[in-house]
Amino acid sequence: EVRVLQNLRGKIYDAKHLVPNKIRDFFCTINLDQEEVFRTQVVEKSLSPYFGEEFYFEIPRTFHWLSFYIYDKSVLQKDLRIGKVSIKKEDLCNYTGKENWFVLQPVDSNSEVQGKVHLELKLNELITDNGSVCQQLVVHIKECHGLPLINGQNCDPYATVSLVGPSRNDQKKTKVKKKTSNPQFNETFYFEVTRSSSYTKKSQFQVEEEDIEKLEVRVDIWNNGNLVQDVFLGEIKVPVKVLRNDSFKAWYLLQPRENGNKSSKTDDLGSLRLNICYTEDCVLPSEYYASLRNLLLKSSDVQPISASAAYILSEVCRDKCDAVLPLVRLLLHHHKLVPFVTAVAELDLKDTQEANTVFRGNSLATRCVDEMMKIVGKHYLKVTLKPVIDEICECPKPCEIDPIKLREGDNVEINMENLRYYVDKVFHEIVQSSISCPTLMCDVFYSLRHLAVRRFPNDPHVQYSAVSSFVFLRFFAVAVVSPHTFHLRPHHPDAQTSRTLTLVSKAIQTLGSWGSLTKSKLSSFKETFMSEFFKKFQEEKFTESVKKFLDDVSSAESKEPSGLSEPVHLKEGEMYKRAQGRTRIGKKNFKKRWFCLTSRELTYHKQQDKEPIFTIPIKNILAVEKLDENSFNKKNMFQVLHGEKPLYIQANNCVEASEWIEALCRVTRCNQKRLSFYHPSAFLNGNWLCCKATIENTVGCARCTADVPADTQIEIDGDRETERIYSLFTINMSKLQKLEEACGSIAVYQGPRKEPDDYSNFTIEDSVATFHTLKQIIDIIEKMNESHEKFRKKRSSSAKYGSEENPIVGKVS
């Protein structure tokens, strides 16, 4: 079993020079093929809107195009698509980790294509009544899969099948299939390829050669518009000449029309600035990763730490962030993070000359702690900051105190009081939150604090600055200024709110440092207006609060987060639920509801702030599974089985459905009465659609999906993280080999280093130990390459014929 896992992360920055050339309200969406999976908030009255929204999600299905659409928001009419950036899946690697301006392309319905069609093509020889031979083309159109939604609904597709040549266009048409994105046509059409009655047998073959070279089969898929114009959904073309010696049964990706947007101008729609990072990991069974995983997990025991596999990974990666993300998750998953962070932090401190610069750089140690706090501190931020961040965003008060940025009519004294109110509230929530700080964060802070004191024993403030540089500067202050990044808010805030959050964040950074700075440094603010603002604060009072908080979160006593005694908020959002126990008929069966999942219960509400109208205790949930589309002709549906009738839910897109299923499975994994079998479809009109059983409470006909990790707060797939690290080592194999040569040279000659450009940026404390680890890494990666190559060959062996866009899809049946 090989799992192919995909994820996408990045940032939508801004757009410029948008058309129409008028001040408008714009928003941007991310689409997998034609399915919208992310939407920014609306930026009002701008020609160069700044969105500033980061995104990260697992991609739960195959796709062929990643697209970003710019919309002009309309109040009364349908939102207008201004332009798009569309990137083929195969080309995403060209943009990974880079910030790029993309020219917007026109949005043409003839180029908005997704889905695939299953065909069987065959040439038959027929003997006519007069004994001559002619050829007949047989086209069996079986089905389509993954057609787009039209106005949010399944389409009514049909296909036209044509035999096209220089002087002929024979066309036939299938029946219309109602309300489905996966129509089953199963229709066969026959076309005469050569005409034999006017030719001798000898000339017959000459004409046959000429005709077949120029003929092609064309299949067009359409959505039946009933009273309006039919909508083109895609086409495929297959030259008849490729069928000379064989018949083919294959999946073909639908393609846009060749002239779909040639007439449109492409240079005047504007541009969009994006950062995109797409990764695809082919995760092999766990035993293939044992050697590499064990080598990485032993890193904290290696002396010196710079000779460890984990440290070497960070050295050879061009961007340390690429290494840190999977490394921290893997070490966290196996409870090895604290000793590793301690070891690399100690190395970091060796190069730190002044106590007031402790842990202020972007070293491996600081990046590891940053990533750890993002992973384990999600709930901590929600219980601490979310209420006050919501207040600032939803009931904003003017807080600008910079005289240069004040608008006409602003009162700086009132603004200063408003800002003081917000800062006091945020600060109070933070310093009162130590009991909620996750144990792992406390363990790391405790270790960093004692390392700093040991390095600078004569500085009384370093025990606090070592911790405040993380918890205030790199955690709370960053979450305040970018609440959407930490899932405290759904979108990047508007410009005025963003400015307020920036001022609050600056104040929190300053107040957080008061417990660790001397008096002489407190007056050195870059902005005069901030100095004036802090004159309103009683320094001693805030300093004592900070010190007490830092003492609490870096104490040696382990404690569990207080949130575990209260329900942990896991996920919420708007979806559609089917009325339980109703018949299939009737549009009112599906109603929009606000769903909320905690560690204790799943509830849904008429609106977000209303009382729940239905509650399922987590302990009562027996299974959570996908629901076949044919149940209600709706996509992205799943079912929650809980003893009564199943609760059928429709998410807004495939990413959201996958996230809800995963969250529900994690929180219910340890339930004692979980089901082993379930019904993939619904019970309608007296029988189960999947197995046709007529008894509603009969045992399911399909085995429930495999168990997932039980930890509801930390979601880590150890094999996937190891696969990512394997990929990074593979990409940087030449650097590993150069580093190995450098270590060998130093160990043997003990003289000046040769070719310093090859390894002068690497840390080589102990050339023998580093050489030993490098040899192990290279040997392991070469063995893993063999396993991956076997999988690649097996995967490509089935790709005989089909769409040129993705040969794997064109699999011969």
Side-chain angles (χ1 to χ4, degrees):
E1 290 290 333
V2 177
R3 296 176 292 143
V4 180
L5 304 176
Q6 314 166 89
N7 72 49
L8 186 73
R9 61 183 170 90
K11 187 171 184 177
I12 302 172
Y13 287 95
D14 53 346
K16 63 182 180 183
H17 309 314
L18 296 181
V19 172
N21 193 23
K22 296 179 182 178
I23 301 297
R24 298 290 180 94
D25 300 339
F26 295 104
F27 64 91
C28 182
T29 68
I30 301 177
N31 291 50
L32 298 174
D33 297 323
Q34 294 302 299
E35 182 179 15
E36 181 183 317
V37 296
F38 181 87
R39 177 180 291 213
T40 69
Q41 74 170 5
V42 177
V43 178
E44 298 179 348
K45 298 179 174 55
S46 175
L47 267 179
S48 299
Y50 180 79
F51 302 106
E53 299 213 18
E54 296 184 10
F55 54 87
Y56 173 85
F57 48 83
E58 298 289 326
I59 301 176
R61 63 170 177 82
T62 58
F63 73 102
H64 306 293
W65 291 88
L66 174 69
S67 300
F68 298 80
Y69 289 85
I70 296 289
Y71 281 82
D72 177 2
K73 180 69 177 174
S74 176
V75 178
L76 300 177
Q77 299 176 347
K78 185 179 177 181
D79 297 331
L80 176 65
R81 291 191 289 190
I82 299 297
K84 69 175 181 179
V85 173
S86 287
I87 306 171
K88 280 185 185 179
K89 177 185 173 181
E90 294 79 12
D91 296 334
L92 284 171
C93 59
N94 299 331
Y95 305 101
T96 290
K98 302 172 187 175
E99 186 181 308
N100 292 281
W101 279 101
F102 294 87
V103 175
L104 292 175
Q105 301 297 319
V107 179
D108 184 330
S109 61
N110 290 331
S111 66
E112 299 294 287
V113 168
Q114 75 173 61
K116 56 187 179 180
V117 58
H118 197 188
L119 295 180
E120 183 175 9
L121 305 171
K122 186 163 52 176
L123 272 178
N124 290 335
E125 284 195 346
L126 300 179
I127 300 176
T128 63
D129 294 339
N130 62 9
S132 61
V133 178
C134 69
Q135 290 194 313
Q136 181 188 59
L137 173 67
V138 182
V139 180
H140 180 192
I141 179 166
K142 295 189 168 190
E143 59 182 315
C144 288
H145 188 270
L147 298 180
L149 301 178
I150 303 296
N151 298 324
Q153 301 295 322
N154 281 323
C155 52
D156 296 334
Y158 69 90
T160 58
V161 182
S162 308
L163 182 63
V164 181
S167 59
R168 63 192 294 189
N169 187 354
D170 302 337
Q171 186 178 94
K172 303 178 189 295
K173 178 181 173 183
T174 69
K175 295 176 181 177
V176 175
K177 300 296 179 180
K178 293 289 186 180
K179 302 300 177 191
T180 177
S181 295
N182 303 311
Q184 303 281 331
F185 293 114
N186 284 319
E187 294 191 40
T188 303
F189 301 102
Y190 302 89
F191 297 90
E192 185 182 279
V193 175
T194 56
R195 302 175 177 87
S196 58
S197 57
S198 305
Y199 301 95
T200 66
K201 190 171 183 179
K202 182 177 179 182
S203 64
Q204 159 66 29
F205 289 104
Q206 293 171 348
V207 173
E208 173 194 331
E209 293 287 331
E210 180 185 345
D211 279 358
I212 288 182
E213 287 298 325
K214 297 177 181 178
L215 291 177
E216 66 179 10
V217 180
R218 192 174 75 201
V219 178
D220 295 81
I221 309 298
W222 298 84
N223 178 56
N224 182 35
N226 293 322
L227 300 178
V228 297
Q229 187 175 2
D230 293 353
V231 177
F232 173 77
L233 299 179
E235 69 178 11
I236 64 108
K237 297 178 180 179
V238 181
V240 174
K241 64 182 179 182
V242 303
L243 306 175
R244 287 178 187 273
N245 303 317
D246 204 352
S247 65
F248 289 103
K249 189 188 296 182
W251 284 100
Y252 297 82
L253 294 180
L254 291 169
Q255 302 295 316
R257 282 178 172 160
E258 288 183 0
N259 62 348
N261 55 13
K262 283 184 179 177
S263 62
S264 303
K265 294 182 179 179
T266 60
D267 57 352
D268 58 356
L269 297 177
S271 302
L272 181 64
R273 185 161 58 114
L274 302 169
N275 188 314
I276 304 166
C277 184
Y278 167 78
T279 60
E280 178 181 281
D281 297 314
C282 297
V283 183
L284 306 179
S286 188
E287 59 267 22
Y288 287 89
Y289 299 104
S291 298
L292 180 57
R293 180 172 58 241
N294 292 337
L295 186 64
L296 291 162
L297 295 180
K298 291 176 182 175
S299 292
S300 56
D301 300 325
V302 175
Q303 293 293 333
I305 190 66
S306 59
S308 69
Y311 194 93
I312 289 171
L313 175 68
S314 71
E315 288 282 88
V316 297
C317 286
R318 183 177 60 85
D319 185 349
K320 269 189 171 59
C321 185
D322 292 339
V324 166
L325 296 177
L327 186 58
V328 167
R329 292 189 179 110
L330 180 68
L331 295 174
L332 193 57
H333 184 60
H334 292 279
H335 310 291
K336 295 285 188 180
L337 184 62
V338 175
F340 180 74
V341 167
T342 302
V344 292
E346 192 168 13
L347 180 62
D348 201 9
L349 286 169
K350 284 183 181 178
D351 296 328
T352 306
Q353 302 303 317
E354 297 182 22
N356 64 339
T357 61
V358 164
F359 302 131
R360 294 299 176 99
N362 279 323
S363 64
L364 177 59
T366 57
R367 286 172 183 257
C368 284
V369 178
D370 286 350
E371 184 61 23
M372 177 274 295
M373 292 191 297
K374 286 180 184 176
I375 295 171
V376 305
K378 288 180 182 178
H379 178 62
Y380 181 31
L381 284 175
K382 281 189 175 180
V383 298
T384 306
L385 290 184
K386 192 174 190 320
V388 64
I389 295 293
D390 286 343
E391 181 183 343
I392 294 172
C393 293
E394 293 168 10
C395 306
K397 299 178 181 180
C399 294
E400 185 56 71
I401 59 174
D402 184 351
I404 298 174
K405 296 185 178 180
L406 286 172
R407 287 185 267 184
E408 188 175 349
D410 282 352
N411 185 315
V412 70
E413 290 299 323
I414 292 176
N415 289 6
M416 199 170 284
E417 284 303 313
N418 292 337
L419 181 60
R420 172 65 191 268
Y421 167 77
Y422 286 146
V423 170
D424 274 341
K425 200 160 187 179
V426 171
F427 180 81
H428 177 77
E429 292 296 333
I430 292 173
V431 296
Q432 296 296 317
S433 71
S434 60
I435 191 67
S436 298
C437 186
T439 304
L440 185 68
M441 287 176 63
C442 294
D443 290 344
V444 169
F445 295 153
Y446 173 77
S447 179
L448 297 177
R449 178 176 183 170
H450 284 268
L451 287 174
V453 170
R454 192 191 310 162
R455 176 70 177 85
F456 299 100
N458 299 321
D459 190 310
H461 304 288
V462 76
Q463 62 176 315
Y464 297 111
S465 61
V467 181
S468 67
S469 62
F470 287 106
V471 73
F472 278 101
L473 272 67
R474 293 174 176 268
F475 187 59
F476 284 118
V478 177
V480 168
V481 81
S482 301
H484 59 295
T485 303
F486 291 84
H487 307 289
L488 300 177
R489 296 289 299 172
H491 295 292
H492 181 79
D494 60 57
Q496 183 177 334
T497 306
S498 184
R499 173 62 178 165
T500 297
L501 293 173
T502 300
L503 292 171
V504 173
S505 178
K506 284 184 176 183
I508 293 303
Q509 291 181 51
T510 302
L511 293 174
S513 67
W514 274 14
S516 55
L517 294 180
T518 60
K519 294 261 186 185
S520 61
K521 294 173 184 172
L522 291 175
S523 58
S524 58
F525 293 105
K526 290 182 180 178
E527 301 106 335
T528 306
F529 63 86
M530 291 300 287
S531 298
E532 292 297 315
F533 177 64
F534 279 105
K535 288 179 181 178
K536 294 179 175 289
F537 291 80
Q538 296 177 6
E539 183 180 319
E540 294 301 325
K541 172 186 170 184
F542 283 88
T543 298
E544 289 307 310
S545 296
V546 169
K547 285 184 175 179
K548 184 179 184 306
F549 170 72
L550 295 175
D551 283 336
D552 289 342
V553 297
S554 58
S555 66
E557 299 174 4
S558 293
K559 55 182 179 295
E560 291 299 325
S562 63
L564 294 181
S565 61
E566 295 294 325
V568 177
H569 178 97
L570 299 173
K571 191 168 179 60
E572 62 181 348
E574 203 169 57
M575 296 186 290
Y576 291 85
K577 67 96 187 173
R578 181 178 185 262
Q580 299 184 75
R582 299 285 181 84
T583 62
R584 186 175 182 174
I585 302 171
K587 291 184 178 179
K588 293 183 179 179
N589 277 354
F590 283 88
K591 295 185 179 179
K592 188 183 291 187
R593 293 288 182 259
W594 185 266
F595 285 79
C596 182
L597 174 65
T598 72
S599 56
R600 189 174 292 171
E601 59 193 16
L602 173 68
T603 58
Y604 61 75
H605 317 241
K606 278 196 173 180
Q607 294 174 349
Q608 182 174 356
D609 299 322
K610 301 294 184 183
E611 289 296 312
I613 56 178
F614 191 76
T615 299
I616 306 175
I618 292 301
K619 63 181 181 180
N620 291 353
I621 295 179
L622 307 177
V624 182
E625 300 288 347
K626 291 182 179 179
L627 186 71
D628 284 353
E629 181 186 326
N630 63 5
S631 297
F632 304 104
N633 284 327
K634 292 182 181 292
K635 284 179 170 289
N636 306 317
M637 288 202 66
F638 62 96
Q639 52 185 316
V640 180
L641 308 176
H642 60 100
E644 302 174 24
K645 291 183 180 293
L647 175 60
Y648 296 130
I649 302 172
Q650 183 187 27
N652 294 305
N653 56 63
C654 64
V655 171
E656 185 180 81
S658 178
E659 290 176 350
W660 272 100
I661 293 170
E662 185 181 0
L664 282 160
C665 285
R666 282 197 314 273
V667 78
T668 60
R669 178 181 177 273
C670 296
N671 286 0
Q672 294 182 350
K673 297 182 179 180
R674 279 182 65 93
L675 297 175
S676 298
F677 293 87
Y678 77 105
H679 290 284
S681 292
F683 186 83
L684 295 172
N685 302 324
N687 67 78
W688 290 100
L689 299 182
C690 42
C691 60
K692 307 306 178 186
T694 55
I695 301 173
E696 188 168 2
N697 62 355
T698 189
V699 176
C701 56
R703 182 171 288 279
C704 289
T705 50
D707 289 342
V708 294
D711 192 326
T712 61
Q713 298 210 354
I714 303 173
E715 311 147 26
I716 296 173
D717 182 339
D719 291 342
R720 186 196 190 157
E721 304 306 338
T722 314
E723 168 65 26
R724 186 101 293 275
I725 292 171
Y726 155 76
S727 298
L728 293 171
F729 275 137
T730 303
I731 292 167
N732 294 287
M733 180 57 76
S734 62
K735 289 185 181 179
L736 290 171
Q737 291 167 339
K738 286 180 180 179
L739 186 53
E740 185 185 35
E741 291 172 12
C743 289
S745 175
I746 295 168
V748 172
Y749 297 107
Q750 294 296 321
R753 297 183 177 188
K754 307 293 183 183
E755 301 178 8
D757 289 344
D758 285 341
Y759 56 85
S760 57
N761 293 326
F762 297 137
T763 302
I764 305 177
E765 290 183 287
D766 185 324
S767 58
V768 175
T770 306
F771 180 88
H772 178 67
T773 304
L774 284 162
K775 191 172 187 324
Q776 288 180 287
I777 294 171
I778 292 170
D779 288 346
I780 289 170
I781 297 304
E782 287 176 350
K783 287 180 182 176
M784 292 181 69
N785 283 342
E786 295 175 8
S787 303
H788 282 75
E789 187 59 32
K790 286 180 183 177
F791 163 68
R792 276 190 285 269
K793 285 181 179 177
K794 185 178 179 182
R795 190 182 185 192
S796 61
S797 65
S798 60
K800 302 296 184 186
Y801 182 77
S803 165
E804 293 178 0
E805 285 294 312
N806 187 347
I808 293 171
V809 176
K811 183 168 63 176
V812 174
S813 302

